[in-house]
Amino acid sequence: MRVSQTNLAGDLLLHLGQPSDGPLHERVKRALRTAIRNGRIEVGTALPPSRQLAADLSCSRWAVTEAYSQLIAEGYLEAQTGSATRVRWSDNPDADSLRPAARHTPAALFDLAPGLPDLRAFPRRRWAEAVRTQVTTAAFTEFGYPPPGGHIRLRQLLADYLGRSRGVAATPQDVTVCTSVTDGVRRVCHALRADGITAVGCEEPGWTRLREVVRAAGLDPVPIRTDSGGLRTDDLAGHTGLRAVLTAPAHQFPLGTVLVPERRAALLRWARRVDGVVLEDDYDAEFRYDRRPVAAIQGMDPTRVILFKSLSKILSPALGIGWIVAPPRWTHHLHQTDQVATQPSTLDQLAFATLLESGAYDRHLRASRKRYRNRRDTLVQALAQQLPGAPVSGIAAGLHLILRLPATVDTQAVITAAATRSLRVAGLAAYHATDDHNDHGLVLGYGNLADNAVSEAVRHLREAIEESR
Amino acid sequence: MRVSQTNLAGDLLLHLGQPSDGPLHERVKRALRTAIRNGRIEVGTALPPSRQLAADLSCSRWAVTEAYSQLIAEGYLEAQTGSATRVRWSDNPDADSLRPAARHTPAALFDLAPGLPDLRAFPRRRWAEAVRTQVTTAAFTEFGYPPPGGHIRLRQLLADYLGRSRGVAATPQDVTVCTSVTDGVRRVCHALRADGITAVGCEEPGWTRLREVVRAAGLDPVPIRTDSGGLRTDDLAGHTGLRAVLTAPAHQFPLGTVLVPERRAALLRWARRVDGVVLEDDYDAEFRYDRRPVAAIQGMDPTRVILFKSLSKILSPALGIGWIVAPPRWTHHLHQTDQVATQPSTLDQLAFATLLESGAYDRHLRASRKRYRNRRDTLVQALAQQLPGAPVSGIAAGLHLILRLPATVDTQAVITAAATRSLRVAGLAAYHATDDHNDHGLVLGYGNLADNAVSEAVRHLREAIEESR
């Protein structure tokens, strides 16, 4: 069905849901994304101007521009200067053949959206070799159903590795192999819910996807503010009945802060006091450039912390390999509440185990750390040269940084203008659960940005910002 | 914690749940399996005699012996003639080191439990080569997040292949890559539930695991009887409000029947009348020995049928690759209700696509069909020689057959006696949701039985049966 441009909202019956489903801009984004994914809005379709859609939906224009900007960053929409915002992507494979013009839309040349490691640096030869070794030498019984919780060899190597590299205190039985951090958090949320927990504190700002996962599991995501010292643990006491909190203590997303030592202790005291649990998202803690990586808080109280981690920020999200480290009580609940748990292929589990065992994984991490640090230096330098007035923060670790923008600059306009230059960036505001904040700026991911594209990307960004004043 | 032998049930607080959770023997089995998996009962622990546990749990002895037998078949327990039934397996990796004696327990030498293809025949070299080709030649962008629904190349090849080999009518958009039939049914059940459907008709007898998946998704599994013509479609009308039914029309599990043509038509008429949906489990339809495989009913009405299939019965369950073919409406619901859907690794999806494209998958199927037909012939012949009185049925297709036993034989005792001979078999009664049936016999899977072990396995089975008269 071709959607008319003039009254898209009405025709599409965008279901924005209830206020309890999150802030308006997120609900608008979700509704649009779903309509695009399902093919209800075809590739190439022009969306109505934000003012008009806002009027149709009876919401603020900001919510619509924010939603558009995020969908541009995610690649669903494309913006062209002086023209309407159009649908650019669909997982409908016929879309291209239906609208040949769309085929020629260039992909983002400069990918500064956060969330990806350097896909060019995937250790292809080593991975292929590890798979080959396992596939050709494994006992035939390894081709049967994998045991619950994952292959024991990988669980043993992970327990050992995490103890060594992240200060994690875990036996192999405490490790459950899953497919991603979101998969792990989803499964734990179901276990929490089965145990009578109804809400999970979520960092504000924080990773939107995990907040959605918490909500989809039937739990209430409670925003807990963060500041320069990380999660404001004092605020936890203000939420009576709260017994679970999701946090990234080693490297807060998106602000890039570290949870300060007194708050690490306070967080665990809180968990013990309320008989609760801390969900520790350890997504990219290895990439620390100023000192040794901050150890996981899991090691400080393994009975109160569930740690999540995946290969998505280290090797590739295409592998679908992650793990949960949980105390026996929660591992037990996990196995009870999710009996159809999906695991990565046994062969891939064994291939990853081979990389861990041979030291290839460590070498990849070391090489990656060096590569990302150099790229960060280049990026920070380029930003200082081209955008001398804009403060940069969160640069000590990880694969992204924060670029604050003056209040005179329209962030959404920057994202849109950047997209017309094949530059994908994300707005800081998008990671807030509420509209009650002053975070004005961009989250610039450099994990998947080609080294030789950094200065050109920053030049395009400067132009986009200048255009949006 | 070591559990004392004399009052295991009381110590363990086995939670049998409610009658609505299924028949007693299943609930006892689940409770024991959970306790073993969680390490609450250690490897080597002797279970109380069935009479005693039955008294402790206030249930029939049959329910306990049935539960023990199934857990023996699943490898959790082991039986020794003249000795107590003991816990043999745990995913607790320390179990072995804690109890060195357990390390020497032989694995089942003769695996006649249904559900596995020949793990010895996994095309190792081809798979390793397909992965290597993909890993080394894929565009670097393939290492990013996979698109929702699976890699489009695999979806295209599957739509084409399924049309050719199974009479399935599907566009690539109708194909959703998932990790197994249970994963697919779980996801569809969540979508059904979100759409207001509350119950799913399940074949009686039928695959226990899927019944559990239906229940875990919050839907009511309604037993629908099957007979020599497959699912008794006339019975559907007796369940007012029922709008979904799960069936394996090409090869009923475990009875091995085919849904007769008039019932295929009746099933689709029923689905249209109640505005419902048929969940078609196409698990091993390729292995048909008497004629061409029966086409999927999906092709007869693609708007009313959702088809499920995986590589678990063809290549290996360790790969975790499956697919759902659904009409656009349900594909849409699937994407909406399960936004954290797990996919197999993109690299594995591409490797499988390579096997499909090169014809290697077809060749593997043809070679497998020949291998299984020969093995079935050997097995049927051995059964006729060693157990001339026992009727064999369901031999025209698939990887298992039914061996009926005289009423004078205690089936549970046979399973236990077989286990002491390292022979793993399953009881037909275990696949019934209720105790209201006369099915007296065994389900013998020969997919993963070594060719040179067939006659010895049957000799052991005969001895186990003779011992249980």
Side-chain angles (χ1 to χ4, degrees), chain A residues 30 33-34 37-38 40 76 89 91-94 115-116 118-120 122-125 127-129 131-132 134-149 152 155-156 171-173 179-180 182-183 186 207 209 212-213 216 312-313 315-320 331-333 335-336 338-348 448, chain B residues 30 33-34 37-38 40 76 89 91-94 115-116 118-120 122-125 127-129 131-132 134-149 152 155-156 171-173 179-180 182-183 186 207 209 212-213 216 312-313 315-320 331-333 335-336 338-348 448:
Chain A
R30 272 203 297 269
R33 189 168 52 191
T34 302
R37 277 187 170 167
N38 297 330
R40 285 190 290 146
Y76 287 92
W89 180 89
D91 65 336
N92 179 335
D94 285 348
L116 281 178
D118 197 332
L119 303 179
R120 295 162 197 81
F122 184 85
R124 297 177 181 232
R125 210 175 41 79
W127 184 260
E129 183 54 28
V131 171
R132 197 194 61 79
Q134 293 306 325
V135 172
T136 52
T137 63
F140 79 87
T141 47
E142 301 284 20
F143 294 93
Y145 282 91
I152 191 59
R155 294 164 79 191
Q156 282 163 336
T171 66
Q173 304 94 290
T179 63
S180 65
T182 45
D183 176 52
R186 179 186 63 78
W207 192 17
R209 189 106 180 81
E212 287 172 359
V213 166
S312 300
K313 308 280 181 287
L315 286 175
S316 155
L319 293 176
T331 300
H332 168 140
H333 278 296
H335 290 201
Q336 279 206 321
D338 199 356
Q339 307 214 344
V340 197
T342 286
Q343 285 182 38
S345 150
T346 306
L347 305 174
D348 290 347
N448 194 31
Chain B
R30 271 202 298 269
R33 188 169 50 192
T34 301
R37 279 187 169 167
N38 296 331
R40 285 191 290 148
Y76 288 91
W89 179 90
D91 64 338
N92 179 332
D94 284 348
L116 282 177
D118 196 332
L119 303 179
R120 294 163 197 82
F122 184 85
R124 298 176 181 233
R125 211 175 40 78
W127 184 261
E129 181 54 28
V131 171
R132 198 194 61 78
Q134 294 305 324
V135 171
T136 51
T137 64
F140 79 89
T141 47
E142 301 284 20
F143 294 92
Y145 282 92
I152 191 59
R155 295 165 81 192
Q156 282 163 337
T171 66
Q173 304 95 288
T179 62
S180 65
T182 45
D183 175 54
R186 181 186 62 77
W207 192 15
R209 189 105 181 84
E212 287 171 358
V213 166
S312 299
K313 307 280 180 290
L315 287 174
S316 155
L319 293 176
T331 300
H332 167 141
H333 277 295
H335 290 201
Q336 278 205 322
D338 199 358
Q339 306 214 343
V340 198
T342 286
Q343 286 183 36
S345 151
T346 306
L347 306 174
D348 291 347
N448 194 32

Side-chain angles (χ1 to χ4, degrees), chain B residues 413-437:
Chain B
V414 173
I415 296 169
T416 307
T420 66
R421 290 168 171 81
S422 292
L423 177 68
R424 192 177 292 186
V425 295
L428 184 48
Y431 300 103
H432 279 271
T434 70
D435 301 340
D436 172 29
H437 64 88

Side-chain angles (χ1 to χ4, degrees), chain A residues 148-444:
Chain A
H151 197 286
I152 191 59
R153 188 164 157 241
L154 176 56
R155 294 164 79 191
Q156 282 163 336
L157 284 161
L158 274 174
D160 183 50
Y161 174 81
L162 295 172
R164 202 155 31 85
S165 74
R166 303 288 307 123
V168 164
T171 66
Q173 304 94 290
D174 301 332
V175 180
T176 296
V177 179
C178 63
T179 63
S180 65
V181 169
T182 45
D183 176 52
V185 171
R186 179 186 63 78
R187 289 174 59 182
V188 166
C189 281
H190 283 290
L192 295 178
R193 201 182 167 205
D195 204 55
I197 285 179
T198 58
V200 176
C202 293
E203 291 185 335
E204 172 69 4
W207 192 17
T208 317
R209 189 106 180 81
L210 289 182
R211 209 184 288 134
E212 287 172 359
V213 166
V214 167
R215 192 181 290 117
L219 298 169
D220 185 24
V222 177
I224 310 287
R225 295 262 168 172
T226 67
D227 59 26
S228 61
L231 187 78
R232 284 161 55 162
T233 46
D234 283 355
D235 292 3
L236 290 169
H239 297 278
T240 316
L242 189 67
R243 288 177 55 214
V245 65
L246 172 61
T247 174
H251 189 228
Q252 206 276 335
F253 186 88
L255 296 180
T257 52
V258 172
L259 190 67
V260 291
E262 48 278 15
R263 290 191 186 174
R264 286 165 71 97
L267 182 60
L268 294 171
R269 273 200 309 276
W270 169 83
R272 285 188 286 263
R273 197 171 61 242
V274 301
D275 187 20
V277 61
V278 175
L279 278 51
E280 178 172 24
D281 178 7
D282 202 42
Y283 68 109
D284 72 357
E286 287 89 346
F287 301 129
R288 177 119 226 133
Y289 313 122
D290 53 346
R291 48 173 164 163
R292 297 268 308 152
V294 184
I297 57 168
Q298 190 275 353
M300 297 168 68
D301 191 346
T303 68
R304 290 288 168 197
V305 181
I306 303 178
L307 178 133
F308 303 88
K309 174 85 185 168
S310 81
L311 292 184
S312 300
K313 308 280 181 287
I314 310 284
L315 286 175
S316 155
L319 293 176
I321 296 180
W323 53 91
I324 306 165
V325 177
R329 172 167 173 249
W330 288 110
T331 300
H332 168 140
H333 278 296
L334 267 182
H335 290 201
Q336 279 206 321
T337 50
D338 199 356
Q339 307 214 344
V340 197
T342 286
Q343 285 182 38
S345 150
T346 306
L347 305 174
D348 290 347
Q349 292 187 47
L350 290 170
F352 174 39
T354 303
L355 297 193
L356 278 172
E357 202 165 29
S358 70
Y361 185 70
D362 273 312
R363 285 193 296 277
H364 176 79
L365 272 178
R366 274 199 299 276
S368 300
R369 197 180 294 123
K370 194 172 163 197
R371 184 184 310 116
Y372 294 135
R373 190 182 52 226
N374 290 340
R375 192 178 300 157
R376 177 205 63 166
D377 291 346
T378 312
L379 176 60
V380 169
Q381 198 173 11
L383 288 169
Q385 281 168 357
Q386 304 251 355
L387 293 159
V392 162
S393 61
I395 64 167
L399 304 176
H400 71 272
L401 53 76
I402 302 288
L403 179 74
R404 303 272 170 183
L405 294 176
T408 52
V409 174
D410 178 348
T411 311
Q412 274 66 51
V414 173
I415 296 169
T416 308
T420 66
R421 289 167 173 80
S422 292
L423 177 67
R424 192 178 294 187
V425 295
L428 185 47
Y431 299 104
H432 279 270
T434 69
D435 301 340
D436 173 29
H437 65 86
N438 294 317
D439 271 338
H440 199 68
L442 301 173
V443 182
L444 302 182

